[in-house]
Coordinates of all heavy atoms in Angstrom, one line a residue:
E1 N -1.2 -3.1 8.5 CA -2.1 -3.6 7.4 C -3.1 -2.7 7.1 O -4.0 -2.2 7.9 CB -2.7 -4.9 8.0 CG -3.6 -5.6 7.0 CD -3.2 -6.8 6.2 OE1 -2.3 -7.5 6.7 OE2 -3.6 -6.9 5.1
C2 N -3.3 -2.4 5.8 CA -4.3 -1.5 5.3 C -5.7 -2.3 5.3 O -5.8 -3.4 4.8 CB -4.0 -1.0 3.9 SG -2.6 0.0 3.9
C3 N -6.7 -1.8 5.9 CA -8.1 -2.3 6.0 C -8.7 -2.2 4.6 O -8.3 -1.3 3.7 CB -8.9 -1.7 7.1 SG -9.4 0.0 6.8
S4 N -9.9 -2.8 4.4 CA -10.6 -2.8 3.1 C -10.9 -1.5 2.6 O -10.8 -1.2 1.3 CB -11.8 -3.7 3.3 OG -12.6 -3.2 4.3
G5 N -11.4 -0.6 3.4 CA -11.8 0.7 3.0 C -10.7 1.7 2.6 O -10.9 2.8 2.0
D6 N -9.5 1.3 3.0 CA -8.2 2.2 2.7 C -7.5 1.6 1.5 O -6.6 2.2 1.1 CB -7.3 2.1 4.0 CG -6.2 3.2 3.9 OD1 -6.5 4.3 3.4 OD2 -5.1 2.9 4.3
L7 N -8.0 0.5 1.0 CA -7.3 -0.1 -0.2 C -7.8 0.6 -1.5 O -9.0 0.7 -1.8 CB -7.6 -1.6 -0.3 CG -6.8 -2.5 0.5 CD1 -7.2 -3.9 0.2 CD2 -5.3 -2.4 0.4
A8 N -6.9 1.0 -2.3 CA -7.2 1.7 -3.6 C -7.9 0.5 -4.4 O -7.7 -0.7 -4.2 CB -6.0 2.2 -4.4
D9 N -8.6 0.7 -5.5 CA -9.5 -0.1 -6.1 C -8.8 -1.4 -6.8 O -9.3 -2.4 -6.9 CB -10.5 0.5 -7.2 CG -11.7 1.2 -6.5 OD1 -11.9 1.0 -5.2 OD2 -12.3 1.9 -7.2
L10 N -7.6 -1.0 -7.3 CA -6.9 -2.1 -7.9 C -6.1 -3.1 -7.0 O -5.7 -4.1 -7.4 CB -5.8 -1.5 -9.0 CG -6.3 -1.2 -10.3 CD1 -7.1 0.1 -10.3 CD2 -5.1 -1.1 -11.2
K11 N -6.0 -2.7 -5.7 CA -5.1 -3.5 -4.8 C -5.9 -4.7 -4.2 O -7.0 -4.7 -3.9 CB -4.7 -2.5 -3.6 CG -3.7 -1.5 -4.2 CD -3.3 -0.6 -3.0 CE -2.3 0.5 -3.5 NZ -1.9 1.3 -2.5
V12 N -5.1 -5.8 -4.0 CA -5.6 -7.0 -3.3 C -5.3 -6.9 -1.9 O -6.0 -7.4 -1.1 CB -4.9 -8.2 -4.0 CG1 -5.3 -9.5 -3.3 CG2 -5.4 -8.4 -5.5
K13 N -4.1 -6.4 -1.6 CA -3.6 -6.4 -0.2 C -2.5 -5.3 -0.2 O -1.7 -5.1 -1.1 CB -3.1 -7.8 0.1 CG -2.7 -8.0 1.6 CD -2.4 -9.5 1.9 CE -1.8 -9.8 3.3 NZ -2.8 -9.6 4.3
S14 N -2.4 -4.6 1.0 CA -1.4 -3.5 1.1 C -1.0 -3.5 2.5 O -1.8 -3.6 3.5 CB -2.0 -2.3 0.6 OG -1.0 -1.3 0.4
V15 N 0.4 -3.1 2.7 CA 0.8 -2.9 4.1 C 1.6 -1.6 4.0 O 2.4 -1.3 3.1 CB 1.6 -4.0 4.6 CG1 3.0 -4.2 3.7 CG2 2.1 -3.8 6.0
D16 N 1.5 -0.7 5.0 CA 2.3 0.5 5.1 C 3.4 0.3 6.0 O 3.3 -0.4 7.0 CB 1.5 1.7 5.6 CG 0.4 2.2 4.7 OD1 0.6 1.9 3.4 OD2 -0.5 2.9 5.0
V17 N 4.5 0.9 5.6 CA 5.7 0.8 6.5 C 5.7 2.2 7.3 O 5.8 3.2 6.5 CB 7.0 0.5 5.9 CG1 8.2 0.6 6.9 CG2 7.0 -1.0 5.4
E18 N 5.7 2.3 8.6 CA 5.6 3.6 9.2 C 7.0 3.7 10.1 O 7.4 2.7 10.6 CB 4.5 3.8 10.2 CG 3.1 3.8 9.3 CD 2.0 4.2 10.2 OE1 2.0 3.9 11.4 OE2 1.0 4.8 9.7
A19 N 7.6 4.9 10.0 CA 8.8 5.2 10.9 C 8.5 5.9 12.1 O 7.5 6.6 12.3 CB 9.8 5.9 10.0
W20 N 9.2 5.7 13.1 CA 9.1 6.2 14.4 C 9.5 7.7 14.4 O 10.6 8.0 13.9 CB 9.8 5.5 15.6 CG 9.8 6.1 16.8 CD1 10.9 6.7 17.5 CD2 8.7 6.2 17.7 NE1 10.5 7.2 18.8 CE2 9.1 7.0 18.9 CE3 7.3 6.0 17.7 CZ2 8.3 7.2 20.0 CZ3 6.5 6.3 18.7 CH2 7.0 6.9 19.8
S21 N 8.6 8.6 14.9 CA 9.0 10.0 15.2 C 9.2 10.3 16.6 O 8.2 10.5 17.3 CB 7.9 10.9 14.5 OG 8.1 12.3 15.0
P22 N 10.3 10.5 17.1 CA 10.6 10.7 18.6 C 10.0 12.1 18.9 O 9.7 12.3 20.1 CB 12.0 10.6 18.8 CG 12.6 10.6 17.4 CD 11.6 10.1 16.4
R23 N 9.9 12.9 18.0 CA 9.4 14.3 18.2 C 7.9 14.2 18.5 O 7.4 14.9 19.4 CB 9.8 15.2 17.1 CG 9.5 16.7 17.5 CD 9.6 17.7 16.3 NE 8.4 17.7 15.5 CZ 7.4 18.4 15.9 NH1 7.4 19.2 16.9 NH2 6.3 18.3 15.2
Q24 N 7.2 13.5 17.5 CA 5.8 13.5 17.7 C 5.3 12.3 18.6 O 4.2 12.2 19.0 CB 5.2 13.2 16.3 CG 5.4 14.2 15.2 CD 4.7 13.7 13.9 OE1 3.4 13.7 13.8 NE2 5.5 13.4 12.9
K25 N 6.3 11.4 19.0 CA 6.0 10.3 19.8 C 4.9 9.3 19.1 O 4.1 8.9 19.7 CB 5.6 10.7 21.2 CG 6.6 11.5 21.9 CD 6.1 11.9 23.3 CE 7.1 12.8 24.0 NZ 7.4 14.1 23.4
K26 N 5.0 9.2 17.9 CA 4.2 8.3 17.1 C 4.9 7.9 15.8 O 5.9 8.5 15.4 CB 2.8 9.0 16.9 CG 2.9 10.1 15.9 CD 1.4 10.7 15.5 CE 1.4 11.6 14.3 NZ 0.2 12.1 14.0
Y27 N 4.2 7.0 15.1 CA 4.8 6.4 13.8 C 4.1 7.2 12.6 O 3.0 7.7 12.8 CB 4.6 5.0 13.6 CG 5.3 4.1 14.5 CD1 4.8 3.8 15.8 CD2 6.5 3.5 14.2 CE1 5.6 2.9 16.7 CE2 7.2 2.7 15.0 CZ 6.8 2.4 16.2 OH 7.5 1.5 17.1
F28 N 4.8 7.4 11.5 CA 4.1 8.0 10.4 C 4.6 7.3 9.2 O 5.8 6.7 9.1 CB 4.5 9.5 10.3 CG 6.0 9.9 10.0 CD1 6.4 10.1 8.7 CD2 6.9 9.9 11.0 CE1 7.7 10.5 8.5 CE2 8.2 10.2 10.8 CZ 8.5 10.5 9.4
E29 N 3.8 7.4 8.1 CA 4.0 6.6 6.9 C 5.3 7.0 6.2 O 5.4 8.2 5.8 CB 2.8 6.7 6.0 CG 2.9 5.7 4.8 CD 1.8 5.9 3.7 OE1 0.6 6.4 4.2 OE2 2.0 5.6 2.5
V30 N 6.1 6.0 5.7 CA 7.3 6.3 4.9 C 7.2 5.4 3.6 O 8.1 5.6 2.7 CB 8.6 6.2 5.7 CG1 8.7 7.3 6.6 CG2 8.6 4.8 6.4
G31 N 6.4 4.5 3.6 CA 6.3 3.6 2.4 C 5.1 2.8 2.4 O 4.4 2.6 3.4
S32 N 4.8 2.2 1.2 CA 3.6 1.3 1.1 C 3.9 0.1 0.1 O 4.5 0.4 -0.9 CB 2.4 2.1 0.6 OG 1.4 1.4 0.5
C33 N 3.6 -1.1 0.5 CA 3.8 -2.2 -0.3 C 2.4 -2.7 -0.7 O 1.5 -3.0 0.1 CB 4.5 -3.2 0.5 SG 4.8 -4.8 -0.4
S34 N 2.2 -3.1 -2.1 CA 1.0 -3.5 -2.5 C 1.0 -4.6 -3.5 O 1.9 -4.7 -4.3 CB 0.3 -2.3 -3.3 OG 0.0 -1.3 -2.4
N35 N 0.1 -5.5 -3.3 CA -0.2 -6.7 -4.3 C -1.3 -6.3 -5.0 O -2.5 -6.1 -4.4 CB -0.3 -8.0 -3.5 CG -0.4 -9.2 -4.4 OD1 -0.7 -9.0 -5.6 ND2 -0.2 -10.4 -4.0
L36 N -1.2 -6.2 -6.4 CA -2.4 -5.8 -7.2 C -3.0 -7.0 -8.0 O -3.8 -6.8 -8.9 CB -2.0 -4.7 -8.1 CG -1.6 -3.4 -7.4 CD1 -0.1 -3.3 -7.4 CD2 -2.2 -2.2 -8.0
G37 N -2.5 -8.2 -7.7 CA -3.1 -9.4 -8.4 C -2.8 -9.2 -9.9 O -1.8 -8.7 -10.3
D38 N -3.9 -9.5 -10.7 CA -3.7 -9.4 -12.1 C -4.4 -8.2 -12.7 O -4.6 -8.0 -13.9 CB -4.2 -10.7 -12.9 CG -5.7 -11.0 -12.6 OD1 -6.5 -10.0 -12.1 OD2 -6.2 -12.0 -13.1
A39 N -4.9 -7.2 -11.9 CA -5.6 -6.1 -12.2 C -4.8 -5.2 -13.2 O -5.4 -4.9 -14.3 CB -6.1 -5.2 -11.0
Q40 N -3.5 -4.8 -12.9 CA -2.8 -4.0 -13.8 C -2.4 -4.7 -15.1 O -2.5 -4.2 -16.2 CB -1.5 -3.6 -13.1 CG -1.7 -2.5 -12.0 CD -0.4 -2.1 -11.3 OE1 0.5 -2.9 -11.2 NE2 -0.4 -0.9 -10.8
A41 N -2.1 -6.0 -14.9 CA -1.8 -6.9 -16.1 C -3.0 -7.0 -17.1 O -2.8 -6.9 -18.3 CB -1.3 -8.2 -15.6
R42 N -4.2 -7.1 -16.5 CA -5.4 -7.2 -17.3 C -5.7 -6.0 -18.1 O -5.9 -6.0 -19.3 CB -6.6 -7.5 -16.3 CG -7.9 -7.8 -17.1 CD -9.0 -8.1 -16.2 NE -8.8 -9.2 -15.3 CZ -8.7 -10.4 -15.6 NH1 -9.0 -10.8 -16.9 NH2 -8.4 -11.3 -14.7
R43 N -5.5 -4.8 -17.4 CA -5.6 -3.6 -18.1 C -4.7 -3.2 -19.2 O -4.9 -2.6 -20.2 CB -5.6 -2.4 -17.0 CG -6.9 -2.4 -16.1 CD -6.9 -1.2 -15.2 NE -8.2 -1.0 -14.5 CZ -8.5 0.2 -13.9 NH1 -7.7 1.2 -14.0 NH2 -9.7 0.3 -13.5
L44 N -3.4 -3.6 -18.8 CA -2.3 -3.3 -19.7 C -2.0 -4.5 -20.7 O -1.1 -4.3 -21.5 CB -1.1 -2.9 -18.9 CG -1.2 -1.5 -18.2 CD1 0.1 -1.4 -17.3 CD2 -1.3 -0.5 -19.1
K45 N -2.7 -5.5 -20.6 CA -2.5 -6.8 -21.5 C -1.1 -7.2 -21.4 O -0.3 -7.5 -22.2 CB -2.7 -6.4 -22.9 CG -4.2 -5.9 -23.2 CD -4.4 -5.6 -24.7 CE -5.8 -5.1 -24.9 NZ -5.9 -3.8 -25.1
I46 N -0.6 -7.5 -20.1 CA 0.6 -8.2 -19.8 C 0.5 -9.6 -19.5 O -0.1 -10.0 -18.5 CB 1.3 -7.4 -18.5 CG1 1.4 -5.9 -18.8 CG2 2.6 -8.0 -18.3 CD1 1.9 -5.2 -17.5
R47 N 0.9 -10.4 -20.5 CA 0.6 -11.9 -20.4 C 1.9 -12.6 -20.2 O 3.0 -12.2 -20.6 CB -0.3 -12.4 -21.6 CG -1.6 -11.9 -21.6 CD -2.3 -11.9 -22.9 NE -1.7 -10.9 -23.8 CZ -2.4 -10.3 -24.7 NH1 -3.6 -10.6 -25.0 NH2 -1.8 -9.4 -25.5
V48 N 1.7 -13.8 -19.8 CA 2.9 -14.7 -19.5 C 2.6 -16.0 -20.5 O 1.5 -16.5 -20.4 CB 3.1 -15.2 -18.1 CG1 4.2 -16.2 -17.9 CG2 3.2 -14.0 -17.2

């Protein structure tokens, strides 16, 4: 789970998916999932 200070300004909530590296013996980022609420829609005028 990305903490508040790691969230880009448009994001409401974000989670990174990290893969296991047996060589490094740790996980590293391979993807990121973000909910941006209506921020992008407001800027781009995307209405329903």
Side-chain angles (χ1 to χ4, degrees):
E1 173 102 35
C2 296
C3 70
S4 57
D6 191 37
L7 282 182
D9 281 352
L10 272 76
K11 294 180 181 181
V12 171
K13 192 174 171 69
S14 191
V15 63
D16 288 340
V17 176
E18 296 191 332
W20 173 248
S21 165
R23 196 190 79 80
Q24 297 180 70
K25 301 179 183 60
K26 68 174 192 177
Y27 292 88
F28 68 97
E29 185 188 336
V30 287
S32 185
C33 176
S34 300
N35 185 340
L36 296 105
D38 63 9
Q40 290 179 326
R42 187 179 303 284
R43 288 182 167 202
L44 293 172
K45 304 186 180 95
I46 305 170
R47 287 160 291 206
V48 179

